[in-house]
Amino acid sequence: MIEKKIRDAMNDQIKHELESFYIYLSMVAYFHKQGLDGMAHWMRCQAHEEMIHAMKFFDHIIDRGSTVILQDLKQIKTTWKTPLEAWQDAYEHEKFITGKINNLTKISREENDYTSEPILSWFLNEQIEEEKNTEKVARELALVEKSKQGILMLDRELAARVFVAGSSFDPTAYNVAP
Ligand SMILES: [Fe+2]
Ligand SMILES: [Fe+2]
């Protein structure tokens, strides 16, 4: 079984990960509208990752014989002034998520919940990657400023991100020929 305090915090974390999914999906729509299909593609891959993150906690709670309680997702931003603002938001959001994972780790230690250690250390490592990736793009976009060439180059680079195998967010996975 799982202590109530840690179970509640993990249920909250499912909501945070699903909100991450929702925010990045909103950015997919925004980037497509801006004609930045490479950035949209990168965020599509990221949105899929966030769904996986939510499901990791979802399954952990179930596997430990406890109860998953899904919560309302909060209203999110649907547009940004510039691509740079969107990437800065993504970076800020990942820092927020890191804080939540840190707090979960703190609670699990206070509750002597050693069984949570493997999943939480996986997430602690994952957050290093998430912050690094979003910070890098935000920094490079700030460097090229308003240069259309620079933005286009970055867009092409981000188009190369590979989907998790079998991702239902990969358009080629569901675009069947008529
Ligand atoms: Fe996440
Ligand atoms: Fe990741």
Side-chain angles (χ1 to χ4, degrees):
M1 265 308 264
I2 197 165
E3 289 300 324
K4 189 185 177 302
K5 213 171 164 188
I6 187 88
R7 183 206 67 185
D8 288 350
M10 282 190 180
N11 268 308
D12 287 347
Q13 195 60 32
I14 294 175
K15 169 189 146 87
H16 296 314
E17 299 294 346
L18 287 176
E19 280 178 351
S20 304
F21 161 77
Y22 215 33
I23 291 164
Y24 296 142
L25 198 59
S26 192
M27 288 184 184
V28 172
Y30 165 75
F31 286 132
H32 276 309
K33 202 149 187 236
Q34 302 300 309
L36 296 167
D37 293 344
M39 291 189 187
H41 167 83
W42 195 98
M43 280 298 172
R44 218 178 259 252
C45 296
Q46 188 60 33
H48 180 223
E49 262 202 31
E50 297 306 338
M51 188 60 88
I52 293 172
H53 292 171
M55 293 311 290
K56 274 182 186 282
F57 282 110
F58 188 97
D59 287 336
H60 182 80
I61 295 171
I62 289 173
D63 289 347
R64 293 182 67 188
S66 199
T67 313
V68 167
I69 302 156
L70 294 178
Q71 304 169 20
D72 286 351
L73 303 183
K74 76 165 184 270
Q75 184 65 42
I76 50 152
K77 232 165 142 170
T78 52
T79 193
W80 288 266
K81 282 193 202 82
T82 58
L84 173 62
E85 190 190 68
W87 284 96
Q88 282 170 338
D89 272 10
Y91 178 43
E92 288 307 315
H93 183 72
E94 286 307 329
K95 286 197 279 185
F96 164 78
I97 295 291
T98 301
K100 294 291 173 192
I101 300 291
N102 287 345
N103 192 48
L104 255 169
T105 308
K106 186 170 168 272
I107 297 171
S108 78
R109 286 182 186 173
E110 284 166 1
E111 301 292 310
N112 295 326
D113 185 17
Y114 307 115
T115 314
S116 293
E117 273 183 21
I119 188 173
L120 291 176
S121 57
W122 186 90
F123 272 97
L124 287 169
N125 267 321
E126 176 66 9
Q127 282 313 116
I128 297 174
E129 186 208 28
E130 306 296 54
E131 283 191 29
K132 189 179 99 181
N133 289 342
T134 47
E135 189 276 336
K136 182 174 185 279
V137 181
R139 179 167 32 84
E140 289 179 352
L141 264 178
L143 272 177
V144 299
E145 285 185 1
K146 290 186 179 72
S147 152
K148 283 188 179 136
Q149 250 184 349
I151 294 173
L152 217 61
M153 256 179 65
L154 251 174
D155 188 66
R156 296 270 152 85
E157 197 184 299
L158 293 167
R161 183 170 178 182
V162 178
F163 274 106
V164 178
S167 170
S168 53
F169 287 78
D170 179 356
T172 59
Y174 55 76
N175 277 349
V176 263

